[in-house]
Amino acid sequence: MDELGAAVDDVWNRRPDNVVADNQIPDNNTPRIRNYLSQLTEDQRKQRYVINDLFLTEAAIRRIALQPFLVSCVGVLMGTVPILAQSLNFRWGSNQGLHVDTLYLPPPTEGHIVAIWIAMEDILPESG
């Protein structure tokens, strides 16, 4: 997780032109605004943001997302070889209520989508 955190910090410091980030206004009712990371300021990093698909450009994130044990477990659950279709990196959750991702990420075979969330902070039993 330290490697993943360092990779995200490095991307923010470099702000490459080929990385897309969605910035969300703090009132949480305003839709996300899509930008290239190079267009966001350090100040905007303190707001809600989502960096899209870092596995495409960052080897450290690709290594974590494609851990052999994780890929094997998902493959057993799905009964097929899984592919990585999207990654999202963010500091704060979206606070979204119950929602369905398949509306935005329709899998080629109905019911064949798995979402995995990796928390990069300590989670306590009283967190729920």
Side-chain angles (χ1 to χ4, degrees):
M1 293 301 95
D2 290 340
E3 183 181 11
L4 190 141
V8 173
D9 285 342
D10 179 61
V11 168
W12 263 104
N13 291 333
R14 288 186 290 118
R15 290 194 194 94
D17 289 332
N18 64 338
V19 173
V20 174
D22 297 332
N23 181 276
Q24 189 168 359
I25 308 302
D27 68 13
N28 216 18
N29 293 318
T30 305
R32 292 181 180 155
I33 302 165
R34 179 146 291 178
N35 292 295
Y36 287 105
L37 193 59
S38 59
Q39 297 170 316
L40 297 181
T41 65
E42 187 63 32
D43 222 31
Q44 287 173 301
R45 187 177 186 184
K46 298 173 187 164
Q47 300 173 8
R48 289 190 190 283
Y49 66 86
V50 176
I51 303 175
N52 298 281
D53 298 327
L54 278 182
F55 77 97
L56 293 172
T57 61
E58 305 304 312
I61 292 175
R62 197 167 37 255
R63 268 193 309 279
I64 292 165
L66 296 174
Q67 286 286 327
F69 178 75
L70 194 60
V71 172
S72 174
C73 288
V74 172
V76 168
L77 290 171
M78 294 180 70
T80 187
V81 177
I83 61 166
L84 178 58
Q86 183 185 46
S87 70
L88 303 174
N89 292 85
F90 46 87
R91 179 168 282 173
W92 298 280
S94 65
N95 291 327
Q96 286 179 302
L98 186 61
H99 65 283
V100 178
D101 286 332
T102 54
L103 295 173
Y104 304 101
L105 295 168
T109 305
E110 187 175 335
H112 279 75
I113 185 170
V114 175
I116 298 170
W117 173 69
I118 300 172
M120 292 186 54
E121 62 185 348
D122 293 335
I123 303 299
L124 306 173
E126 52 273 5
S127 297

